[in-house]
Amino acid sequence: MIPAMARTLLVNARIATMRAGRYSMIDDGAMVAEAGVVSWVGPRELAPTVKRGNDEVVDAKGALVTPGLIDCHTHLVYAGNRAREFEMRLSGATYEDIARAGGGILSTVQATRAASEQQLAREAGARLDAMIAEGVTTVEIKSGYGLDVESELKCLRVARGLARGRNVTITTTVLGAHAVPPEYKGRADEYVDLVCGTLIPRAAEGKLADAVDAFCEGIGFSPAQTRRVFDAARAHGLKIKLHADQLSNLNGAALAAEYGAVSADHLEHTDVAGVKRLKAAGTVAVLLPGAFYFLRETKLPPVVALRTEGVPMAIATDCNPGTSPSTSILTAMNMACTLFRLTPEEALAGVTTHAARALGLQDRGALEPGKRADFVIWDATEPAELAWTIAGRKPISVIPTPRG
Ligand SMILES: [Zn+2]
């Protein structure tokens, strides 16, 4: 006889299921998971929770339970830090002073190129562990600080490898078109040739990437160059994401929508026409309040239009050394509320249901039958508490789906 598959029975829980992107609370709830997949969730008195021999019973003792959190936009793999540049700027140094002193993105590129895979894994692993400690069970990681083929592939390998020994799902994104590397200065089109002709094909062949992203901006890549990157992504069956309209409106949102991107990210300068294109394409708007805060931006993303049009809004840390040196998804939720005026419910949907969709993952993001049973027990009663506090909150426990 085949023994019955071990089940996890969650009892005595206030469950914010996040079904359909709403709290969808079950005040005195229970959940059954079989082989890491939710098979039943609902009020405790209706629960099919008669314990079988090898079932694991998790008693939440009346505490809040949410789906595992998802950080859908990070640049986690880099070496070194930019604290000196931060200090120089606050001591009155100009952008040129900082560049002359070896600061800026190119300092991160140099450090990342020089670092071994072990060193990168150690530094990025510490950041990842901080995220996991806050209840994150899925993280997207972009390359983009290597900016040559071997260094970019190295960063993607490191990102993939970070899942080993940790209960977390990592998805990876090629962001070769993040900046023009110094050796291609003034030859951006030739660098895009390299990204499209060599980097993306090799990342795809090596199964090192799930998606492709680009920085479409005056100081990044033009819409025409971004199209070439997207065409290469399509040719290799990779999902598409875009850093769009962060510092100016280059109609990046519309471009992302045209290519059926899973997400368009930043969007501070996106107009209503761009929002309507996102809606029509089913593209998720990923809001990144950490960068907005750190850069002291003033142009707000079009939250009211996104809400009115019904575009799903995700929130992420944008963890990166230059513009958002943060590993805290909970702080990003708070900032999305305080800076962008999202409701706490929208903020929680932004790091669960909608974040899953921003990665093209249909199997997670809500606690409902058929979805992965990654869940977090919080020292909280109301879900709004998660976005309300600024820092310091830690889950009571994180119960990820066991990895095979
Ligand atoms: Zn970013």
Side-chain angles (χ1 to χ4, degrees), residues 73 75 142 243 266 288 318 320:
H73 180 139
H75 307 249
K142 303 174 196 296
H243 283 69
H266 283 293
L288 303 166
D318 192 15
N320 80 78

Side-chain angles (χ1 to χ4, degrees), residues 297-309:
E297 294 285 347
T298 52
K299 180 81 172 72
L300 289 160
V303 167
V304 172
L306 291 165
R307 187 184 286 136
T308 306
E309 295 295 328

Side-chain angles (χ1 to χ4, degrees), residues 73-75 142 145 175 178 213 215 243 246 265-266 288 291 318-320 323:
H73 180 139
T74 86
H75 307 249
K142 303 174 196 296
Y145 290 113
L175 180 57
H178 189 195
D213 193 345
F215 184 45
H243 283 69
Q246 180 187 6
D265 303 35
H266 283 293
L288 303 166
D318 192 15
C319 175
N320 80 78
T323 64

Side-chain angles (χ1 to χ4, degrees), residues 84-394:
R84 185 155 167 265
E85 168 186 334
F86 183 66
E87 185 155 46
M88 281 179 75
R89 190 177 299 140
L90 286 166
S91 305
T94 64
Y95 184 82
E96 285 72 33
D97 295 335
I98 291 165
R100 226 175 295 122
I105 186 172
L106 294 182
S107 69
T108 301
V109 172
Q110 275 168 6
T112 303
R113 285 178 174 178
S116 67
E117 295 197 22
Q118 290 77 4
Q119 182 192 339
L120 285 170
R122 195 168 54 244
E123 294 188 23
R127 290 187 278 273
L128 178 60
D129 288 335
M131 291 176 171
I132 292 169
E134 269 198 354
V136 170
T137 52
T138 302
V139 181
E140 183 256 18
I141 301 177
K142 303 174 196 296
S143 67
Y145 290 113
L147 305 186
D148 63 44
V149 171
E150 293 308 325
S151 301
E152 286 286 296
L153 294 174
K154 173 177 74 174
C155 291
L156 291 168
R157 271 194 306 275
V158 167
R160 279 272 199 251
L162 289 174
R164 228 170 287 133
R166 291 182 174 92
N167 271 317
V168 68
T169 303
I170 304 287
T171 75
T172 53
T173 301
V174 190
L175 180 57
H178 189 195
V180 178
E183 62 273 21
Y184 279 87
K185 193 160 187 242
R187 299 186 294 133
D189 277 314
E190 286 175 50
Y191 178 63
V192 173
D193 289 342
L194 180 75
V195 169
C196 298
T198 308
L199 174 58
I200 290 173
R202 283 194 54 195
E205 282 156 23
K207 301 210 181 314
L208 290 171
D210 305 293
V212 169
D213 193 345
F215 184 45
C216 182
E217 194 58 67
I219 59 164
F221 294 86
S222 69
Q225 290 162 341
T226 301
R227 277 177 189 280
R228 292 174 55 208
V229 173
F230 284 177
D231 287 335
R234 254 190 192 165
H236 290 88
L238 298 171
K239 293 171 199 162
I240 290 170
K241 302 172 81 66
L242 184 64
H243 283 69
D245 307 331
Q246 180 187 6
L247 306 172
S248 60
N249 185 6
L250 294 183
N251 295 314
L255 180 58
E258 180 188 330
Y259 276 83
V262 285
S263 74
D265 303 35
H266 283 293
L267 303 178
E268 279 83 346
H269 289 261
T270 300
D271 57 19
V272 173
V275 170
K276 288 181 190 288
R277 299 288 296 275
L278 294 177
K279 173 62 181 172
T283 299
V284 175
V286 178
L287 306 180
L288 303 166
F292 179 93
Y293 161 84
F294 198 79
L295 294 173
R296 306 178 76 233
E297 294 285 347
T298 52
K299 180 81 172 72
L300 289 160
V303 167
V304 172
L306 291 165
R307 187 184 286 136
T308 306
E309 295 295 328
V311 176
M313 291 182 278
I315 296 161
T317 61
D318 192 15
C319 175
N320 80 78
T323 64
S324 189
S326 166
T327 55
S328 176
I329 194 80
L330 295 174
T331 304
M333 288 170 68
N334 176 270
M335 287 180 174
C337 295
T338 52
L339 299 173
F340 294 168
R341 313 312 290 166
L342 266 68
T343 65
E345 185 175 44
E346 287 172 330
L348 187 55
V351 299
T352 54
T353 326
H354 298 156
R357 198 165 149 189
L359 297 177
L361 298 174
Q362 275 107 41
D363 66 345
R364 66 196 70 199
L367 295 173
E368 55 186 337
K371 302 251 200 250
R372 291 167 63 98
D374 295 325
F375 64 92
V376 184
I377 304 175
W378 299 95
D379 183 14
T381 310
E382 296 303 324
E385 291 176 50
L386 303 184
W388 164 58
T389 43
I390 294 175
R393 186 182 293 277
K394 292 275 186 285

